[in-house]
């Protein structure tokens, strides 16, 4: 968890692929299967928070079950701050 005053670092797709040792299509299959967190779009680039990649990499290294990894992915995704919602005012 990132605390106030700390910086969040992001990894781009080539770096994530290098860390995991998988192909691009394999990574996106993991995402579709709930075995890896979804990317964040920043200026047209796909990036992942570094702490998420490292945490999931450790889970894969330790040989955790797919169910355990899915739970972790779900927790990581829910810990991301939600997008600001825009309230529409009723025109009356």
């Amino acid at each position: 968890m990132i605390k106030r005053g700390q910086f969040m670092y992001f990894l781009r797709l080539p770096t994530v692929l290098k860390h995991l040792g998988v192909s691009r299509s394999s990574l996106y299959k993991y995402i579709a299967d709930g075995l890896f967190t979804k990317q964040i779009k920043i200026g047209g680039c796909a990036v992942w928070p570094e702490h998420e990649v490292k945490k999931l990499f450790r889970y894969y290294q330790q040989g955790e079950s797919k169910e355990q990894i899915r739970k972790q992915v779900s927790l990581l995704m829910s810990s991301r701050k939600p997008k600001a919602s825009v309230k529409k005012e009723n025109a009356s």
Side-chain angles (χ1 to χ4, degrees), residues 15-79:
T15 307
V16 173
L17 297 177
K18 190 181 227 182
H19 270 290
L20 297 176
V22 298
S23 67
R24 178 184 172 132
S25 59
S26 293
L27 174 64
Y28 285 111
K29 183 170 180 354
Y30 288 174
I31 293 169
D33 293 343
L35 297 171
F36 206 80
T37 55
K38 293 181 180 179
Q39 69 275 22
I40 299 169
K41 295 283 186 162
I42 298 180
C45 292
V47 296
W48 286 262
E50 182 182 39
H51 70 279
E52 291 181 6
V53 174
K54 287 183 175 183
K55 190 170 214 167
L56 290 172
F57 181 69
R58 281 195 303 272
Y59 269 77
Y60 280 104
Q61 275 188 321
Q62 294 169 359
E64 296 290 341
S65 70
K66 287 183 178 183
E67 193 55 42
Q68 200 54 15
I69 292 171
R70 281 189 184 97
K71 286 180 186 176
Q72 188 61 42
V73 168
S74 179
L75 287 171
L76 289 169
M77 291 299 295
S78 67
S79 70

Side-chain angles (χ1 to χ4, degrees), residues 1-19:
M1 173 70 73
I2 302 297
K3 296 179 183 173
R4 187 180 178 140
Q6 290 182 327
F7 291 101
M8 183 181 287
Y9 295 98
F10 295 97
L11 301 176
R12 295 178 71 186
L13 180 61
T15 307
V16 173
L17 297 177
K18 190 181 227 182
H19 270 290

